Amino acid sequence: MADIIQLLPDHVANQIAAGEVVQRPSSVVKELMENAIDAGASTIKLVIKDAGKTLIQVIDDGCGMSATDARLSFERHATSKIRSAEDLFQLHTKGFRGEALASIAAIAHVEMKTKQDSNDLGIHLIIEGSEVVSQEVIVTPDGTSIAVKNLFYNIPARRNFLKSNQVELRHVIDEFHRVALPHPQIKFVLIHNGSEVFNLPSSNFRQRVVNIFGSKTNEKLVPVNEETEVLKIDGFVGKPEFSKKTRGEQFFFVNDRFIKSNYLNHAISSAFEGLLKDGHHASYFLFLQVDPKSIDINIHPTKTEIKFDDEHTLYAILRASVKHSLGQFNVAPILDFERDSNLDTPYNYQNKEVNTPRIEVDSNFNPFASSSSKISSKQTQTTFSRKQTPNDWESLYVGLKDEDAEGEPSKEFTEIRFESEEQTLSVFDEVSHVDKVYATYQLHNKYIVSPIKSGMLLIDQNKAHQRVLYEDFLQNITVKESVSQQLLFPVELHFTPQEIEIIKQVREDLEYAGFIFSNFEVDRIEISGVPVNVPSSEVTIILEQIISDIENDIPDSCFSAADLLAKSMAKSLSVKTGQSLSIEEQEHLVNRLFGCKEPNMTPNNRPTFVTMSMEELDKKFI
Ligand code: ADP
Ligand code: MG
């Protein structure tokens, strides 16, 4: 039989390799920018069109290439960066595999112009799908410009797989940050569809962070510096009071390479323990220098995970240094103090009594003296009759306590104080006449109990209110006629340019919902009007929640902005567990809930209430 094994032609091998190296436009951005850094550039300009789908161009003023090297650079395993396997253990460059350019050229139209300082003329190469289409001598500045057009033009399946421009742009910007942050001495520019998104001058690291994440960042940074035998740490953590609900600003660089590590991230969170509000994340920008021999450097080009020899030691050192810095800069003690007084207490709660776990027992409710009419009398506090003796009352209390020990109810009590942290809309969002009156009773500041014909209703106040607000907001946004209240003093809010981009994307919907933007800048916005019933003190929380929701939702779904906004605002503004409601508020909420189109579910498809029929109740007494 004839031999059947054949070597794959280069362009096929390259295409296969490309599948691994290039997953999306941002992968190309990473490879080209890293090459520019390896070439010793002092200015790197990234130009993209349509989030990189149409064009990704990186222009540097680095060492450039000779004509031969320019041609060779597109061959697989062609690299100037290592010569032997030993070199792998003392890498000083980003690249070393020599496969990025070959891979990119296999799946796109590539145009390279490059010139070395010592030459008068440069070279202009055009390569399409691994084929050199043209090679000419040209006049061009020192350095290299590589333009990658029509990515995946010859792999339609991959091209169709790309996400919306919004999503791809976010990936590109993330990659841009990851490369620009550890190289503050290099000037970086990012231009998208003709407009400048970032212009980062050569600076020190603190300035670089501020230039990327906005001028307000400066006051938030706490320096962390530590040097031990195995590890050197430099960089900053964000002060706890500026923590956010988004995980956006978390950067570890190991030997100047961006990495992700849940384990090390945990070290930081545990250093912040007790200092952050629930659901908030610390931000950090940290450089770890370790002996290159102690990490596995044969990292996959697209992977950001890394293997350390001794993770446990790194964890301990990292945690201790961050704790030390927070203490040294007086962050921790001050915060503790503020926490006690007003930091976590919404304005309208400051003067109220603290809701300590208190068990309210209906003294009339005695399982041993059961009759179904007793149960309904439990629903309103006013109808309690006081036949029970204190002793009976105590025995009931004991019974409840036993239940506590089993878990559920006592958990509720601890939740109560946290969940009511944020100021929320009153259930009365308009002065309205309550026409249908249900008898209601609020259970543990969490549930509203109400009798119905067949038995009883148990409504989760937070979930029910989310449904009510969601339908309101959605209605306003979609019919585009909401009412705004003009703020006496416009609120100025600071965000990162990236967050501003996100707000811009949903700006129109926010305006339909009732927000009025009087100014939009790269790192701040000014708001002069908010939807009726939204307290101006809540604006930041709402917008942060929206940004975080969009960031978390975008990657896998093509979302409806209106729906997401309505959900997000409903979540932020709904009454929380732990909030005590007057009888009128309870009744109003019940009426509003059953006026909804879909009263039984929250916007996120959780039940808003459960019913219990008399039969079910009766069975419990058998
Ligand atoms: P690697 O970076 O792993 O060596 P690449 O395929 O990314 O592999 O690049 C191949 C080679 O092309 C590099 O080793 C380098 O010599 C050269 N090269 C690539 N980009 C540039 C650039 N912007 N300036 C100068 N030389 C470059
Ligand atoms: Mg490279």
Side-chain angles (χ1 to χ4, degrees):
M1 230 175 98
D3 300 332
I4 51 168
I5 296 181
Q6 290 186 353
L7 279 180
L8 285 175
D10 266 359
H11 71 275
V12 178
N14 283 340
Q15 245 192 40
I16 294 170
E20 280 194 48
V21 180
V22 184
Q23 288 164 343
R24 50 180 7 132
S26 65
S27 337
V28 175
V29 166
K30 172 176 188 279
E31 293 298 336
L32 297 185
M33 287 183 50
E34 289 190 347
N35 279 349
I37 290 171
D38 286 346
S42 49
T43 301
I44 298 175
K45 191 167 161 186
L46 170 63
V47 182
I48 53 171
K49 284 204 182 117
D50 304 324
K53 292 176 186 171
T54 314
L55 171 75
I56 302 159
Q57 183 175 19
V58 172
I59 305 159
D60 70 54
D61 57 358
C63 63
M65 280 174 267
S66 69
T68 324
D69 281 354
R71 274 296 284 271
L72 258 180
S73 68
F74 290 100
E75 296 296 322
R76 214 135 66 91
H77 306 307
T79 179
S80 56
K81 299 172 191 173
I82 56 169
R83 305 209 170 266
S84 68
E86 282 83 71
D87 290 351
L88 272 176
F89 297 100
Q90 36 198 313
L91 268 186
H92 297 292
T93 55
K94 306 268 170 200
F96 58 88
R97 300 165 65 106
E99 58 186 8
L101 289 185
S103 302
I104 294 167
I107 48 160
H109 297 146
V110 177
E111 184 175 355
M112 175 194 274
K113 292 177 191 168
T114 184
K115 178 175 109 60
Q116 288 177 313
D117 178 20
S118 49
N119 293 341
D120 291 338
L121 290 173
I123 179 144
H124 183 193
L125 263 180
I126 298 180
I127 300 186
E128 294 181 356
S130 299
E131 296 281 320
V132 179
V133 177
S134 114
Q135 175 172 350
E136 286 167 0
V137 171
I138 56 157
V139 177
T140 182
D142 289 348
T144 306
S145 153
I146 302 184
V148 175
K149 295 175 193 158
N150 310 321
L151 191 66
F152 299 131
Y153 77 99
N154 50 358
I155 316 180
R158 290 300 288 273
R159 193 161 172 93
N160 294 337
F161 188 69
L162 292 178
K163 297 274 164 60
S164 68
N165 285 3
Q166 257 174 33
V167 175
E168 295 301 341
L169 180 62
R170 272 197 47 83
H171 284 287
V172 167
I173 291 179
D174 281 349
E175 211 55 73
F176 181 82
H177 287 167
R178 292 167 187 181
V179 179
L181 273 173
H183 300 282
Q185 71 290 354
I186 301 177
K187 174 181 166 149
F188 286 92
V189 178
L190 168 56
I191 293 172
H192 181 223
N193 289 343
S195 55
E196 192 174 270
V197 184
F198 286 101
N199 187 335
L200 312 172
S202 166
S203 61
N204 64 25
F205 180 56
R206 184 188 264 269
Q207 287 161 337
R208 175 60 45 100
V209 172
V210 170
N211 287 332
I212 292 181
F213 296 103
S215 49
K216 270 264 171 167
T217 321
N218 199 19
E219 61 190 90
K220 306 179 188 174
L221 301 177
V222 182
V224 181
N225 302 94
E226 187 71 60
E227 192 163 356
T228 70
E229 266 176 27
V230 287
L231 172 69
K232 184 168 179 289
I233 307 173
D234 290 293
F236 303 98
V237 292
K239 289 185 188 163
E241 62 264 45
F242 295 107
S243 66
K244 291 188 180 174
K245 284 189 172 172
T246 54
R247 279 183 178 275
E249 295 159 19
Q250 301 188 327
F251 295 90
F252 279 124
F253 299 93
V254 172
N255 298 356
D256 288 353
R257 211 184 268 277
F258 173 82
I259 62 134
K260 278 186 190 152
S261 163
N262 286 337
Y263 187 64
L264 295 186
N265 178 59
H266 190 268
I268 310 264
S269 332
S270 80
F272 270 88
E273 206 172 284
L275 298 175
L276 296 178
K277 279 200 241 172
D278 249 13
H280 282 226
H281 302 282
S283 54
Y284 50 85
F285 312 87
L286 292 172
F287 290 92
L288 315 183
Q289 296 288 337
V290 297
D291 183 349
K293 288 194 191 102
S294 74
I295 50 176
D296 179 358
I297 41 130
N298 195 10
I299 330 157
H300 190 274
T302 58
K303 291 230 169 86
T304 43
E305 285 85 22
I306 195 171
K307 271 219 216 104
F308 297 98
D309 279 356
D310 187 0
E311 269 195 334
H312 296 305
T313 313
L314 297 194
Y315 182 101
I317 299 174
L318 190 59
R319 179 169 180 270
S321 344
V322 171
K323 271 200 139 178
H324 178 74
S325 289
L326 290 174
Q328 195 179 20
F329 289 87
N330 268 344
V331 177
I334 288 174
L335 194 90
D336 273 343
F337 169 71
E338 285 182 348
R339 249 180 113 78
D340 284 346
S341 55
N342 38 29
L343 188 76
D344 289 341
T345 323
Y347 313 104
N348 60 344
Y349 275 84
Q350 277 174 31
N351 304 325
K352 287 193 182 176
E353 247 179 68
V354 179
N355 241 331
T356 37
R358 185 160 52 95
I359 299 175
E360 275 182 23
V361 180
D362 174 6
S363 52
N364 200 26
F365 181 67
N366 180 351
F368 305 105
S370 86
S371 89
S372 48
S373 67
K374 286 274 165 56
I375 292 171
S376 54
S377 76
K378 180 175 174 255
Q379 268 117 30
T380 49
Q381 287 149 320
T382 42
T383 57
F384 289 167
S385 57
R386 309 196 182 278
K387 293 184 271 189
Q388 304 293 136
T389 63
N391 282 345
D392 288 330
W393 185 88
E394 295 232 293
S395 69
L396 268 180
Y397 183 79
V398 171
L400 265 176
K401 249 188 144 174
D402 285 343
E403 257 179 64
D404 281 357
E406 280 166 37
E408 271 295 309
S410 62
K411 207 173 95 216
E412 235 104 86
F413 292 134
T414 48
E415 269 170 15
I416 283 169
R417 293 173 63 181
F418 290 111
E419 283 206 32
S420 58
E421 269 176 8
E422 283 157 19
Q423 189 187 352
T424 51
L425 269 193
S426 143
V427 171
F428 275 121
D429 44 3
E430 72 226 30
V431 187
S432 73
H433 176 67
V434 181
D435 41 14
K436 247 192 256 164
V437 179
Y438 298 87
T440 59
Y441 173 77
Q442 195 186 18
L443 190 63
H444 295 319
N445 289 344
K446 179 169 192 189
Y447 296 110
I448 299 170
V449 187
S450 177
I452 48 171
K453 213 168 149 201
S454 60
M456 71 176 220
L457 262 180
L458 201 58
I459 299 167
D460 182 309
Q461 63 186 44
N462 169 260
K463 297 201 166 78
H465 200 210
Q466 279 195 41
R467 163 53 65 182
V468 169
L469 292 178
Y470 167 73
E471 291 198 3
D472 275 0
F473 284 126
L474 197 61
Q475 163 88 5
N476 288 344
I477 298 171
T478 45
V479 303
K480 308 184 174 177
E481 50 180 42
S482 62
V483 198
S484 301
Q485 53 181 352
Q486 204 79 29
L487 296 176
L488 206 49
F489 303 102
V491 193
E492 189 180 72
L493 300 174
H494 292 257
F495 290 103
T496 67
Q498 224 172 329
E499 291 168 337
I500 296 281
E501 280 299 310
I502 292 181
I503 298 175
K504 269 192 196 156
Q505 288 159 19
V506 291
R507 174 176 180 166
E508 211 178 310
D509 285 317
L510 282 168
E511 284 169 347
Y512 290 136
F515 286 93
I516 302 171
F517 297 96
S518 38
N519 195 9
F520 241 96
E521 284 181 39
V522 260
D523 63 351
R524 80 194 78 138
I525 51 176
E526 194 182 75
I527 293 180
S528 58
V530 294
V532 179
N533 304 317
V534 170
S536 61
S537 57
E538 290 305 281
V539 176
T540 324
I541 292 178
I542 296 174
L543 288 176
E544 274 194 9
Q545 184 71 51
I546 288 170
I547 291 169
S548 140
D549 286 346
I550 292 180
E551 285 192 326
N552 294 335
D553 221 48
I554 262 186
D556 38 41
S557 65
C558 138
F559 71 108
S560 138
D563 185 69
L564 206 142
L565 268 188
K567 274 184 192 159
S568 183
M569 284 168 49
K571 191 158 74 188
S572 307
L573 291 167
S574 49
V575 295
K576 300 291 184 293
T577 297
Q579 193 161 328
S580 127
L581 302 177
S582 69
I583 297 279
E584 289 76 20
E585 286 175 318
Q586 296 167 31
E587 286 168 349
H588 185 65
L589 179 56
V590 176
N591 283 335
R592 289 291 313 272
L593 177 66
F594 291 103
C596 282
K597 290 196 186 107
E598 284 180 54
N600 2 2
M601 289 289 166
T602 68
N604 298 312
N605 294 326
R606 304 269 147 65
T608 50
F609 64 84
V610 292
T611 54
M612 248 202 229
S613 68
M614 290 309 287
E615 266 173 38
E616 283 171 86
L617 286 171
D618 289 343
K619 270 190 204 144
K620 293 193 185 296
F621 293 100
I622 297 169

